[in-house]
Amino acid sequence: MFIGGNWKMHGSKSMIAELVEGWKNANVKTDSEIFIAPPACYLEYLRDIFPAEWKTGAQNCYKEPKGAFTGEITPAMIKELGGEYVVLGHSERRWVFGEDDALIAEKTKFALSEGLGVILCIGEKLEERESGATKDVVVKQLEAVKAQIGDADWANIVVAYEPVWAIGTGKTATPEIAQETHLWIREWFTSAISSDAAMAVRIIYGGSVKPANCDDLGKQPDIDGFLVGGASLKPDFTAIMATNFSS
Ligand code: PGA
């Protein structure tokens, strides 16, 4: 199980210190991996005060090792600050900053080749869900990445299904809607990669996850964790860290 927090553009050293102090006695299940992506400038600070077994990483990176790319960071920088993962393809990168499937796939390929794990975010917009296009959208997003990487690389990817209409809106996908889409994603792995890859991949849900809904979501057989935005900036994120998953 993989329980990640994406702090987006929030935080300060004092806020991080207080939050992490309050989380130290969290009742994390032994098979759950905890991960936080702070703003990149706080990566080293968070690493220094975080419990050793919890992971950190960045919210984005570029597809080149260095160069004239103002404002970007490269995987080696993330690793040097103790980061083990990078979140790629988040809907805010796609829809606020205009990243397309091909760029996200290139970044995924590069981050993996540099030794980072990738949390690959996919998900449909509201109009796509309403028109019945969800499955096609998530498959297209996965196919774009498949075109750039080898089958074995999927072992280092966590897939985050995050319906765009549920992110930061307070509207969570019902456990049934989330489960249905997670199953489509797992079926895609079976047919496009292998049944071993389908069994091994962690498919996590994101979009208004909070203490009040994490247990119901976690009961679904194909939900293997969460990517949490707003609720990961709160003391009671510990309740989400303690989720009992069914599988
Ligand atoms: P939210 O964000 O939990 O605030 O909806 C989720 C995300 O953006 O990953």
Side-chain angles (χ1 to χ4, degrees), residues 205-224:
Y205 170 80
S208 299
V209 175
K210 42 188 178 278
N213 59 25
C214 60
D215 280 327
D216 282 344
L217 287 161
K219 279 185 199 133
Q220 300 300 318
D222 290 294
I223 296 185
D224 305 320

Side-chain angles (χ1 to χ4, degrees), residues 195-237:
S195 46
D196 283 353
M199 296 245 292
V201 66
R202 286 175 294 182
I203 306 171
I204 65 176
Y205 170 80
S208 299
V209 175
K210 42 188 178 278
N213 59 25
C214 60
D215 280 327
D216 282 344
L217 287 161
K219 279 185 199 133
Q220 300 300 318
D222 290 294
I223 296 185
D224 305 320
F226 303 122
L227 186 59
V228 185
S232 71
L233 287 155
K234 298 196 174 143
D236 65 0
F237 184 54

Side-chain angles (χ1 to χ4, degrees), residues 13 31 37 42 48 81 103 124 143 169 171 177 181 186 192 208 217-218 222 233 236 239:
K13 285 189 177 179
D31 63 349
Y42 295 128
D48 283 350
L81 301 187
L103 176 60
E124 81 288 2
E143 291 285 351
T169 58
K171 280 191 205 165
I177 287 180
T181 315
R186 207 174 299 280
S208 299
L217 287 161
D222 290 294
L233 287 155
D236 65 0

Side-chain angles (χ1 to χ4, degrees), residues 63 100-110 112-113 141-151 153-154 157 188 193:
K63 59 176 175 129
D100 62 14
D101 285 348
L103 176 60
I104 292 158
E106 284 178 276
K107 289 180 172 197
T108 302
K109 179 182 180 184
F110 185 62
L112 291 169
S113 74
Q141 292 169 338
L142 290 166
E143 291 285 351
V145 174
K146 177 178 154 60
Q148 297 265 352
I149 67 172
D151 285 358
D153 290 328
W154 289 97
I157 294 181
W188 177 83
I193 314 295

Side-chain angles (χ1 to χ4, degrees), residues 34-201:
I34 301 297
F35 163 77
I36 290 288
C41 54
Y42 295 128
L43 258 172
E44 190 165 34
Y45 181 71
L46 177 65
R47 183 63 280 161
D48 283 350
I49 63 169
F50 227 23
E53 66 277 18
W54 294 358
K55 312 272 172 72
T56 63
Q59 300 170 13
N60 185 30
C61 70
Y62 200 51
K63 59 176 175 129
E64 301 289 342
K66 63 180 176 189
F69 303 109
T70 301
E72 295 294 318
I73 58 173
T74 200
M77 297 170 181
I78 297 167
K79 287 177 67 179
E80 191 167 29
L81 301 187
E84 292 170 69
Y85 288 95
V86 62
V87 178
L88 293 174
H90 189 277
S91 71
E92 286 144 25
R93 298 304 315 176
R94 291 176 189 267
W95 304 115
V96 180
F97 298 102
E99 295 188 8
D100 62 14
D101 285 348
L103 176 60
I104 292 158
E106 284 178 276
K107 289 180 172 197
T108 302
K109 179 182 180 184
F110 185 62
L112 291 169
S113 74
E114 293 283 291
L116 283 178
V118 171
I119 296 149
L120 174 67
C121 303
I122 58 174
E124 81 288 2
K125 293 184 180 178
L126 183 59
E127 59 269 28
E128 291 165 336
R129 171 147 296 269
E130 286 173 344
S131 68
T134 298
K135 190 173 182 180
D136 292 346
V137 170
V138 297
V139 164
K140 185 169 158 283
Q141 292 169 338
L142 290 166
E143 291 285 351
V145 174
K146 177 178 154 60
Q148 297 265 352
I149 67 172
D151 285 358
D153 290 328
W154 289 97
N156 296 314
I157 294 181
V158 175
V159 176
Y161 168 60
E162 301 205 300
V164 181
W165 47 271
I167 295 179
T169 58
K171 280 191 205 165
T172 321
T174 62
E176 293 72 27
I177 287 180
Q179 165 58 27
E180 178 183 52
T181 315
H182 281 230
L183 185 58
W184 288 336
I185 294 167
R186 207 174 299 280
E187 286 170 354
W188 177 83
F189 269 85
T190 305
S191 60
I193 314 295
S194 69
S195 46
D196 283 353
M199 296 245 292
V201 66

